[in-house]
Amino acid sequence: MQFLTLDRASFTYGSSQPVAPLVRRVIAENPSKFTYHGTGTYVIGGDEHGRGDVVVIDPGPTLDSHREALANALAGCTVRAILVTHCHADHSPLAAWLSAESGAPTVAFGPHGDDAWDIGEDPVVDEPENDSASADDPATEPAEPTERSEPAVEESTDRDFVPDVVAVTGDVVAAADGWVITGLHTPGHTSNHLCFALDDGEVRTLFTGDHVMGWSTTVVSPPDGDMAAYLDSLRVVAGRRDDVAIPTHGPPIPNPSAFVDELIAHRLERERQVLDAVRGGLATIPEMVEVLYAAVRKELHKPARRSVLAHLVKLVDDGTVVVEGSTRPRLDATFRPD
Ligand SMILES: [Zn+2]
């Protein structure tokens, strides 16, 4: 499928820039293969000078440069709410600082979920490593969207984050003269992922966090990542007919329903390939990845194994695949068709 790029020349680290009416963005200087050019923190509302009452979505990582950039961008503003899509380390950590500075409450679906089961150890150890980058590592160059046939695997998690206000689908989380923001629970990338829908009476904008990104597919990594939930959450977004989706990483996505339909088709095609692999006699995740990802660089096989595990969890739950000797699918398990 066709991904979108954000031209590096189109923004400046350390300053806020308008991306839509009512919406400014400050990009943190934490480029990596998880974050593209970096985390986009959004400031919504304010007057024509960017002053007055605002809300902030995903304050971002604990980086001094980003904290200073946000302080500058919010000078003259009154922060009314701090909205957090989920608590990966590139999204939520600065919420604590901003809440202390401004007195504004943090709003999210909840803290990071507990791991529901042990997914075991990756059985493959002797292949080139390319997943040591942290989402906080500003020294890491961003991956090019065109190279990203599969996402990187592990993002570090801000387990200290606990929202002041819990929000679920349909809850009004912020409102001002002429616009309103409501929550939309979209589990899949993480179990607590919440999108935020801004309606100003003319344009419907969905802030999609990491649920839907223009530049890359989304990491869905069990046990907290859930492919079945992710597909359901994609269908929810596809059915909304928003005018634009604005993800945390990368550029706004026009006509998001059509884009999300493509994401769904892409995931279902991979699911079909995994099921065919099991039915064809491939029993372990490393065997499946060797075949299904033969054209993909070896460094990407480790994240691919997590992604295949995510599909297998769904196939086991659907009743088309059986996992041997374990109640839940693991990276080191053996699978057979049912
Ligand atoms: Zn994330």
Side-chain angles (χ1 to χ4, degrees):
M1 60 179 295
Q2 189 65 47
F3 289 100
L4 307 173
T5 56
L6 176 65
D7 186 355
R8 177 62 191 86
S10 70
F11 70 94
T12 309
Y13 288 121
S15 70
S16 72
Q17 278 122 21
V19 293
L22 288 176
V23 183
R24 290 183 288 146
R25 179 183 61 199
V26 182
I27 296 184
E29 196 163 6
N30 62 334
S32 78
K33 64 184 173 183
F34 295 107
T35 63
Y36 195 24
H37 293 303
T39 299
T41 296
Y42 294 99
V43 179
I44 296 159
D47 62 18
E48 65 272 26
H49 307 294
R51 303 188 195 285
D53 288 0
V54 298
V55 301
V56 175
I57 299 180
D58 282 354
T62 311
L63 273 181
D64 288 345
S65 59
H66 192 53
R67 191 186 291 110
E68 283 167 28
L70 279 185
N72 289 333
L74 295 170
C77 297
T78 303
V79 180
R80 292 296 182 189
I82 300 160
L83 313 181
V84 173
T85 60
H86 65 300
C87 29
H88 279 146
D90 53 323
H91 292 255
S92 57
L94 275 187
W97 161 78
L98 185 55
S99 184
E101 281 289 301
S102 65
T106 57
V107 182
F109 184 79
H112 195 73
D114 292 328
D115 287 348
W117 79 98
D118 178 8
I119 63 164
E121 293 294 320
D122 190 327
V124 179
V125 288
D126 57 344
E127 71 184 359
E129 284 277 337
N130 188 32
D131 66 342
S132 58
S134 128
D136 294 322
D137 184 359
T140 309
E141 286 295 313
E144 287 304 315
T146 49
E147 291 179 11
R148 287 181 57 107
S149 55
E150 284 299 321
V153 56
E154 280 169 318
E155 296 172 272
S156 56
T157 300
D158 174 15
R159 290 188 184 273
D160 295 335
F161 177 81
V162 179
D164 299 318
V165 177
V166 169
V168 299
T169 296
D171 285 354
V172 172
V173 295
D177 235 10
W179 55 267
V180 62
I181 300 176
T182 49
L184 181 71
H185 185 215
T186 51
H189 174 60
T190 62
S191 56
N192 68 343
H193 196 287
L194 194 67
C195 294
F196 296 102
L198 168 66
D199 190 342
D200 67 3
E202 287 183 18
V203 178
R204 287 160 52 97
T205 303
L206 188 66
F207 292 88
T208 51
D210 284 359
H211 177 51
V212 173
M213 299 188 282
W215 78 286
S216 165
T217 53
T218 290
V219 174
V220 179
S221 188
D224 192 59
D226 182 321
M227 189 63 78
Y230 180 66
L231 282 163
D232 286 344
S233 295
L234 287 181
R235 292 184 183 107
V236 166
V237 172
R240 288 176 46 85
R241 308 293 159 192
D242 290 300
D243 296 301
V244 62
I246 300 186
T248 297
H249 311 285
I253 304 163
N255 192 9
S257 292
F259 184 82
V260 173
D261 281 341
E262 281 190 61
L263 286 178
I264 294 167
H266 174 79
R267 297 290 180 158
L268 291 178
E269 168 63 14
R270 186 63 84 189
E271 177 181 304
R272 190 190 60 74
Q273 292 172 355
V274 172
L275 180 57
D276 285 352
V278 177
R279 287 178 172 162
L282 299 182
T284 70
I285 290 174
E287 286 171 0
M288 295 176 212
V289 168
E290 285 296 320
V291 173
L292 298 181
Y293 295 78
V296 173
R297 299 200 312 278
K298 279 275 188 190
E299 303 95 276
L300 295 173
H301 283 196
K302 183 170 182 170
R305 288 191 287 275
R306 286 293 189 100
S307 191
V308 168
L309 174 64
H311 285 296
L312 285 163
V313 170
K314 179 174 180 295
L315 291 168
V316 167
D317 289 342
D318 288 349
T320 50
V321 169
V322 173
V323 55
E324 311 258 26
S326 172
T327 50
R328 296 298 287 151
R330 293 165 51 102
L331 287 164
D332 51 2
T334 304
F335 299 87
R336 63 174 169 79
D338 194 21

